[in-house]
Amino acid sequence: MDDTPGYRPLYRQVRDILVKRIATGVWQAGQILPSEGDIAADLGVSQGTVRKALDEMTAENLVTRRQGRGTFVARHDDARILFQFFKLLPDTGERRFPESRVLSVHLGPESEAARILDLAETESVIRIERVRSLDEQPCIFEHIYLPESLFRGLDQRDLPNNLYQLYSVGYGVTIARATERLKAVAAQKREAKALGGAPGDPFLRIDRTAYALDSRPVEWRISLCRTESVHYLSDLR
Amino acid sequence: MDDTPGYRPLYRQVRDILVKRIATGVWQAGQILPSEGDIAADLGVSQGTVRKALDEMTAENLVTRRQGRGTFVARHDDARILFQFFKLLPDTGERRFPESRVLSVHLGPESEAARILDLAETESVIRIERVRSLDEQPCIFEHIYLPESLFRGLDQRDLPNNLYQLYSVGYGVTIARATERLKAVAAQKREAKALGGAPGDPFLRIDRTAYALDSRPVEWRISLCRTESVHYLSDLR
DNA sequence: CATAATTTGTCCGTATGTATC
DNA sequence: GGATACATACGGACAAATTAT
């Protein structure tokens, strides 16, 4: 897609400028952007060019546009998380947001996490363990790793269900996209017990790396799921 | 998305017309479309409107556009299948197309498949079983169900590795998108043996329904995967 | 409640750039 | 070089939705 860094179309340069303004907090989550015309005048380009830049950003889920109202910086509200980042659904019934119960929060170096998060091996990492439930039924055992440098003090907080909103509102870190790698594995004793299964049961293991607006990896997450009555949904198009 | 069927923007009406021309074989896979200007003149709209319609179709992987050359109906070549429809990758090394070995082909009614494919319960269904390998290592046991009415004679053919290309070239059925539901399950004797595992081993079960251009379900596929050294890749954005 | 102003959505036309043949 | 086709950029006009007056 971008094999010629020597030349970037104007609308893409505009996009980069707008993304940077969001990334650096000039425009914050939920806030309204200036109108297309104002941005165009500000940057000295045509309204159509701004429009194309915003169209791209809409496709990337970075902004939402509403006719007659304006363009808004996308928020990590529950609805968005649910559709964009939470792919585990009950076999029957509605898509729901899972309840979370935190088991532990630790702090210290962790070499594997450091490698994935692109940190020095000795850098401190926040490690969270929690169990998530759908319909009062525990079904996900989750290990989360964060660079402490980006989320200082997060380990002292009461952790909400929707972590990505906390990253955004509390630390100015916006998760823009993620990559998940799935495997089927045999349940360990501890996870099995927490989810009401038996050791050796087949569990779905989701290995997620999440990236911020500037494309840096900022969260590593391992989710072990008991998929008796839930499934992972993937749309191919 | 389409909550007001009373009004469709012009560019979307144009899109629908163009999709129908592909679906009915007026323009076939791999063929070049008329230029934007010619289509615009033909339909009596501006070139910009045709452009927006084609932009949408590009995003849906229905056509590919190449500057200086033209717009082409997307083909189900190996590269496209590999990226759009085959999400299972080796843990280390390159993305590769799996080899396939057909175990059996049967023909007859099958109530569960009929339900998913939206057929009458008595309608005949083609059922294919095959094993797929990555790097000489069998890792997928696959059950495939097709409506015989759409694919008459397919059960008598030599089945190629790339089935979607056969659907397209041989039967004019273009797979446009698919939905996959993933679970972790315990391996059955037969599947385990075929893939070199043991009964009870955790296998990844992929339940796929694939839809044609007109949004009708035309293929149901269950893939059981031994994910020892491969994983399912899902990009969230 | 009606009207005006604002903002995005759609549609059109034109000119120029870039890639391909 | 020339012809063709898509890509980019600009500008204008009207429609539809929302908000302020």
Side-chain angles (χ1 to χ4, degrees), chain A residues 3-215:
Chain A
D3 43 3
T4 55
Y7 169 69
R8 282 182 86 76
L10 188 52
Y11 72 85
R12 209 171 283 269
Q13 297 176 40
V14 170
R15 189 206 87 104
D16 292 347
I17 292 172
L18 301 183
V19 169
K20 182 159 287 182
R21 288 191 185 171
I22 295 175
T24 58
V26 177
W27 298 321
Q28 302 202 358
Q31 281 186 351
I32 189 171
L33 268 59
S35 75
E36 294 176 352
D38 289 352
I39 296 176
D42 176 28
L43 299 180
V45 302
S46 80
Q47 181 172 342
T49 301
V50 172
R51 159 143 329 186
K52 185 148 183 174
L54 289 174
D55 281 345
E56 277 207 347
M57 293 169 69
T58 302
E60 295 172 281
N61 287 308
L62 300 183
V63 298
T64 62
R65 326 181 66 182
R66 266 174 286 180
Q67 190 173 359
R69 294 190 56 187
T71 304
F72 302 80
V73 181
R75 290 189 313 136
H76 281 300
D77 54 10
D78 289 4
R80 181 185 169 193
I81 295 289
L82 198 53
F83 279 92
Q84 191 179 354
F85 292 109
F86 192 73
K87 296 305 205 176
L88 222 55
L89 314 190
D91 290 344
T92 59
E94 280 295 302
R95 195 167 200 148
R96 272 183 302 276
F97 209 88
E99 298 297 318
S100 304
R101 184 167 61 87
V102 174
L103 300 181
S104 72
V105 180
H106 290 299
L107 212 142
E110 218 285 328
S111 63
E112 177 71 355
R115 191 180 58 76
I116 286 166
L117 295 174
D118 225 357
L119 308 172
E121 192 153 345
T122 55
E123 244 189 275
S124 181
V125 169
I126 302 172
R127 173 178 178 172
I128 302 167
E129 288 187 337
R130 61 176 183 175
V131 170
R132 315 192 79 179
S133 302
L134 278 169
D135 266 333
E136 318 294 324
Q137 169 64 48
C139 58
I140 310 172
F141 195 106
E142 213 158 55
H143 304 262
I144 300 172
Y145 301 87
L146 302 165
E148 205 217 339
S149 55
L150 278 180
F151 299 99
R152 212 164 293 279
L154 184 138
D155 56 306
Q156 308 290 347
R157 282 182 187 252
D158 243 5
L159 294 178
N161 201 354
N162 184 341
L163 282 178
Y164 286 6
Q165 191 159 57
L166 173 61
Y167 300 167
S168 166
V169 175
Y171 300 90
V173 175
T174 300
I175 302 296
R177 60 184 184 83
T179 302
E180 295 194 324
R181 292 175 194 79
L182 282 65
K183 277 177 182 277
V185 300
Q188 310 278 86
K189 266 184 224 148
R190 181 148 173 264
E191 287 88 1
K193 191 172 182 186
L195 303 185
D201 279 356
F203 275 15
L204 184 65
R205 180 185 190 276
I206 307 175
D207 179 326
R208 174 194 294 181
T209 307
Y211 300 86
L213 280 171
D214 58 6
S215 294

